[in-house]
Amino acid sequence: MANVFDVAVVGATGAVGQVMLEILEERDFPVRNMYPLASPRSAGKTVQFKGRTITIEDLTEFDFSQVQIGLFSAGGDISKDYAPKAAEAGCVVVDNTSYFRQAEGVPLVIPEVNGHRIADYTNRGIIANPNCSTIQMLVALKPLHDFATIERINVATYQAVSGSGNAAVSELADQSARLLNGQPIEEPTVYPKQIAFNVLPHIDDFMDNGYTKEEMKMVWETGKILENENVLVNPTTARVPVFYGHSEALHIETSTKVTAAKARELFDAAAGTSVMDTREPGGYATAAIEGATTDDVFVSRIREDLTADNGLDFWVVSDNVRKGAALNTIQIAERLAADYLS
Ligand code: A2P
């Protein structure tokens, strides 16, 4: 079997796809031929990969039998149509969209949490990458959950605009520039209200129960990934005027008491987490500084809940485009390549 791979990146011009190409190069993923794919609008343009200029191809024309691995990040509708076609052609798809996350037989994987599930790629040829907010939350919670089962999670998120793609990054930049220059903003196109200098308590569609789909993704995905539907999740997700890096305030309750000192020890020893918590001004992680262009999930402000015996509070920051999307996808692909396809 191969130990170098032909790889397609679907959505190669997008906020996540561009970073996928960077990370594949940075981590020296064993790529033989790289195929960047996007819409007909981008076909014929080029990207740089490992010092070479590669032409972007039109997804609709691409023959997936040429590749063994496909990394998808072009939206749920594209994955819905093309991931099964790619899998049918023998390509294993690692899908960054939400389309297959709850699908029967499709593993939903964070390598540090449930990497063993990658083996289930054989069911449908598709592995799903979780939601960005779920990934950083569960990377942080996994060592605690292994020590003292988590019973309840209260979480509030503060999410960067890059999670909505490049158009949202431009919308925040443009609105900020206009407002700082004393000009009125244009009618927003990505968000329903001004995002610059504002906070929107709304991410993704509203559901019948009053929660948003982003909030329900955190509920649904946590049960599937931890393989435990008894872990209660009570989320509020908000969009903040930050370009890169999601922050989360977590309030959890465990089956037995975990002290702040013990929690710190567990976070310190875990894979993928980095504690930054000196209990002084600036001694904590923030999105724009630590949570952008880095790989770790940072844990700060670790303290015991004043109102619940087995409660712990902490602050979690991570790069939503890297660990929340592109990096996690590539870590899955690395394990897939090394353990199953080589
Ligand atoms: P394109 O740049 O050609 O539109 P973002 O998440 O930053 O909004 O990026 C979305 C990604 O999905 C881009 O790479 C975009 O390509 C790609 N994409 C959007 N629509 C399609 C489509 N119909 N077919 C293929 N790729 C698409």
Side-chain angles (χ1 to χ4, degrees):
M1 290 252 259
N3 50 18
V4 288
F5 301 90
D6 303 302
V7 178
V9 172
V10 179
T13 52
V16 172
Q18 287 170 327
V19 176
M20 282 180 174
L21 291 170
E22 279 171 35
I23 295 178
L24 287 167
E25 178 164 346
E26 207 176 277
R27 294 171 72 94
D28 208 15
F29 191 89
V31 176
R32 181 169 41 218
N33 291 301
M34 165 58 68
Y35 297 92
L37 309 177
S39 76
R41 295 179 290 275
S42 304
K45 293 184 186 164
T46 58
V47 292
Q48 294 296 314
F49 183 70
K50 294 195 174 179
R52 292 175 45 225
T53 302
I54 308 181
T55 304
I56 297 169
E57 295 182 43
D58 177 356
L59 169 66
T60 54
E61 313 260 293
F62 188 69
D63 172 8
F64 277 95
S65 68
Q66 298 173 87
V67 295
Q68 298 81 53
I69 298 174
L71 309 178
F72 278 55
S73 196
D77 289 342
I78 297 293
S79 291
K80 174 186 169 204
D81 291 342
Y82 289 91
K85 283 185 191 158
E88 185 68 23
C91 161
V92 183
V93 172
V94 188
D95 182 28
N96 185 53
T97 77
S98 62
Y99 192 79
F100 290 99
R101 287 183 192 150
Q102 296 310 121
E104 191 63 37
V106 173
L108 181 64
V109 176
I110 306 170
E112 296 89 337
V113 180
N114 64 338
H116 61 284
R117 283 286 165 202
I118 292 171
D120 296 343
Y121 82 93
T122 50
N123 292 341
R124 294 185 59 181
I126 301 171
I127 302 170
N129 195 60
N131 174 265
C132 44
S133 297
T134 313
I135 292 177
Q136 69 181 67
M137 179 172 85
L138 293 187
V139 169
L141 292 183
K142 170 71 174 162
L144 293 180
H145 187 60
D146 286 345
F147 181 76
T149 308
I150 293 170
E151 294 184 338
R152 185 152 180 266
I153 303 167
N154 268 298
V155 56
T157 71
Y158 306 75
Q159 298 184 218
V161 296
S162 48
S164 315
N166 282 333
V169 171
S170 301
E171 187 156 292
L172 173 59
D174 180 69
Q175 288 180 358
S176 304
R178 283 172 186 271
L179 292 167
L180 288 170
N181 283 295
Q183 295 169 354
I185 62 165
E186 291 183 340
E187 191 61 36
T189 57
V190 179
Y191 298 116
K193 286 191 165 182
Q194 173 188 321
I195 182 65
F197 311 106
N198 204 3
V199 174
L200 309 183
H202 161 212
I203 299 181
D204 210 331
D205 299 336
F206 279 90
M207 314 281 293
D208 288 345
N209 65 359
Y211 285 76
T212 63
K213 198 164 174 202
E214 184 82 352
E215 290 160 351
M216 292 314 296
K217 284 176 197 165
M218 296 183 81
V219 176
W220 298 325
E221 295 177 18
T222 296
K224 181 165 177 177
I225 295 165
L226 294 181
E227 295 171 31
N228 182 342
E229 299 297 336
N230 296 325
V231 179
L232 305 173
V233 184
N234 186 36
T236 301
T237 59
R239 190 72 71 186
V240 295
V242 165
F243 287 105
Y244 295 95
H246 287 356
S247 308
E248 295 178 352
L250 275 152
H251 312 280
I252 65 156
E253 287 170 50
T254 46
S255 57
T256 53
K257 171 89 180 161
V258 182
T259 64
K262 182 66 190 176
R264 186 188 175 105
E265 195 184 295
L266 294 167
F267 291 134
D268 262 330
T273 53
S274 183
V275 174
M276 186 171 179
D277 191 13
T278 57
R279 298 184 168 182
E280 61 189 350
Y284 41 78
T286 59
I289 315 293
E290 291 78 17
T293 72
T294 50
D295 288 349
D296 276 356
V297 171
F298 292 89
V299 187
S300 306
R301 303 292 324 279
I302 306 162
R303 62 212 192 277
E304 288 160 35
D305 190 329
L306 295 174
T307 64
D309 286 344
N310 295 344
L312 268 180
D313 301 337
F314 42 93
W315 178 250
V316 174
V317 164
S318 183
D319 186 325
N320 56 300
V321 175
R322 289 179 74 89
K323 184 59 187 166
L327 175 63
N328 197 70
T329 299
I330 289 162
Q331 289 171 322
I332 294 170
E334 285 172 348
R335 294 261 298 255
L336 174 78
D339 296 351
Y340 303 97
L341 302 184
S342 290

